[in-house]
Amino acid sequence: MSITRRTILSLAAGAAVGAATRPAFAAGEPIVVGAAIPTTGPLSLSGKQYFNTLTMAEEDINKAGGVNGRPFKLVVEDAGASNSTAVSAFVKLVQESKPSFVFLSSYSTQNLATAPEVIKAKIPVMYAGGADAVADNAGGWMFRIRPTDSVAARGMAQFVKTLKATKPGIMYIQNDFGQGGATAAAKLLEANGITPVGSEAYGQNDKDFSAQLLRLRQKGADVILTFVYPADGALLLRQIKTLGLKTPVIASSGSFLPASVQLLSPADLENVWGVIDTFVDPSVGARMADFTTRYKAKFGQDGDAYGLAYYDGALILAEGLKKVGPDPQKLRDFIAAQKSWEGIGQIYSFDDKGNGAPGVVVVKAKPGTKTLELVERIRPS
């Protein structure tokens, strides 16, 4: 661990220290960091998690003395629930706040829409959308801090074999994220000699998935893979139980965010496994225990893998700012060069497309509860 991270985490552990004991900053303007993320609307179910962790990271960095004596200042614009709002939020940040760096949302459709403006602005960004297509359009300026959809799909395909299922069905939200994940999973399954019996899509605003689910049942699906967002993911799991389907479900990470789990009952999670970024639980110990304990004390809810990715990303950024300064090109080069950077949730190694998080884990709720437990860690094969 670098001196920067050790100092930040050491001071973070004493987060209850009052404002009077915080270090005084040297003269100089704050280093402005932007965040174009969804803080209102349906996408804020996950957006508020990484808003929380970014503000927590801002406090921790500043309690540790800021960046070479200069305060770290987070400026947030609401990306809302549409691509156009996300693009406008990024453009407004660039034009009005002139940040050295910007965090984008975890929604691939917003990331793809914003990519041309990122390249035009020549400002490095971090994002958490999983669609592989985003990296293909990043122009060297976009860094992904969560596993790609293809990595998650590989984990889901591998776990199909663990369950000894031979007739998987696929359900996905009809957008870049859902279709990309479903396509990747189908290809990986077929490469393993398993042919999906069907693939069903639904719209982002759909509320009834019964027709798609019944079609998969009629085709003999013995496991269902789902690529979902939090709200629709919870609704889908509830409808599976309402229809009386006993088919095992392997769900993407959206179904296991706290915002989604709180919409479910323990019964809804029976026979459901989640393939998620990392296991966010104090039982992991060390820095994970510190993060989860402080997050819950501060925000009154459990932290999640999405938010943790942004916290880790902020610490990577703080280290870069300290070592190379706020010049966007130098920051871009610093992040691109990071290999085996030890975060709390992942060990980040950025490839030539800016993908930095290589692994996923499988979790499941303990019987009769909504408390998750680790089932398996899946690394790239």
Side-chain angles (χ1 to χ4, degrees):
M1 186 189 299
S2 73
I3 292 174
T4 300
R5 275 171 275 164
R6 184 177 289 113
T7 302
I8 290 171
L9 291 167
S10 175
L11 281 166
V17 175
T21 64
R22 295 176 188 172
F25 290 113
E29 292 296 318
I31 292 180
V32 176
V33 174
I37 56 178
T39 55
T40 63
L43 302 190
S44 68
L45 279 177
S46 56
K48 285 181 179 177
Q49 289 276 3
Y50 41 84
F51 171 82
N52 288 347
T53 55
L54 285 173
T55 57
M56 184 169 151
E58 178 187 31
E59 291 179 9
D60 290 347
I61 292 164
N62 285 332
K63 284 175 182 176
V67 179
N68 297 330
R70 294 175 62 183
F72 181 103
K73 180 181 179 181
L74 183 69
V75 178
V76 179
E77 288 292 337
D78 184 11
S82 71
N83 293 350
S84 59
T85 304
V87 173
S88 296
F90 176 79
V91 171
K92 183 178 180 182
L93 280 170
V94 171
Q95 292 180 345
E96 296 184 4
S97 299
K98 296 179 173 48
S100 300
F101 185 95
V102 176
F103 290 94
L104 301 182
S105 84
S106 63
Y107 293 94
S108 295
T109 56
Q110 292 187 335
N111 301 152
L112 282 165
T114 309
E117 294 298 331
V118 173
I119 295 170
K120 185 188 302 182
K122 296 187 182 305
I123 294 175
V125 304
M126 283 182 184
Y127 68 100
D132 292 74
V134 181
D136 295 331
N137 292 274
W141 290 96
M142 302 177 70
F143 298 93
R144 194 192 318 257
I145 47 177
R146 288 187 53 245
T148 65
D149 289 345
S150 59
V151 169
R154 185 178 299 113
M156 295 171 85
Q158 287 181 225
F159 201 69
V160 166
K161 295 178 69 175
T162 299
L163 294 180
K164 295 181 169 54
T166 58
K167 297 180 179 180
I170 300 173
M171 281 281 294
Y172 65 94
I173 188 169
Q174 181 62 66
N175 61 20
D176 294 297
F177 152 66
Q179 188 167 1
T183 299
K187 289 180 178 178
L188 288 162
L189 287 165
E190 289 171 359
N192 290 328
I194 302 173
T195 301
V197 297
S199 188
E200 298 285 343
Y202 62 88
Q204 184 165 326
N205 297 317
D206 289 355
K207 304 298 181 186
D208 185 359
F209 316 116
S210 56
Q212 295 97 318
L213 289 167
L214 291 173
R215 280 196 292 269
L216 290 178
R217 183 175 70 176
Q218 290 166 359
K219 292 175 180 178
D222 59 2
V223 66
I224 298 174
L225 281 62
T226 68
F227 293 87
V228 297
Y229 286 162
D232 52 283
L235 186 58
L236 177 59
L237 291 180
R238 291 205 305 269
Q239 289 189 14
I240 287 172
K241 293 301 185 288
T242 299
L243 290 169
L245 299 181
K246 304 299 184 183
T247 314
V249 175
I250 304 173
S252 66
S253 58
S255 287
F256 281 82
L257 296 178
S260 183
V261 173
Q262 72 182 4
L263 301 175
L264 299 168
S265 70
D268 294 326
L269 290 167
E270 291 176 3
N271 219 22
V272 179
W273 287 262
V275 175
I276 66 174
D277 305 3
T278 192
F279 185 47
V280 181
D281 188 271
S283 65
V284 175
R287 292 187 295 154
M288 182 69 81
D290 173 69
F291 171 82
T292 55
T293 301
R294 291 196 303 117
Y295 185 94
K296 189 159 189 174
K298 186 174 181 62
F299 300 108
Q301 58 184 330
D302 292 329
D304 69 14
Y306 284 45
L308 179 53
Y310 283 86
Y311 186 87
D312 278 346
L315 296 193
I316 295 173
L317 171 60
E319 186 172 315
L321 286 168
K322 184 170 183 179
K323 289 184 175 178
V324 303
D327 177 80
Q329 179 67 54
K330 291 180 179 179
L331 273 179
R332 191 218 74 84
D333 294 344
F334 172 85
I335 297 168
Q338 297 310 300
K339 306 295 180 186
S340 299
W341 194 97
E342 187 181 350
I344 300 172
Q346 292 271 354
I347 295 177
Y348 299 86
S349 292
F350 293 97
D351 63 19
D352 58 0
K353 289 188 175 182
N355 298 314
V360 293
V361 300
V362 181
V363 297
K364 195 178 191 304
K366 295 179 181 178
T369 77
K370 297 196 290 183
T371 302
L372 302 183
E373 58 184 351
L374 180 65
V375 175
E376 183 179 339
R377 295 186 184 276
I378 298 178
R379 304 293 291 180
S381 57

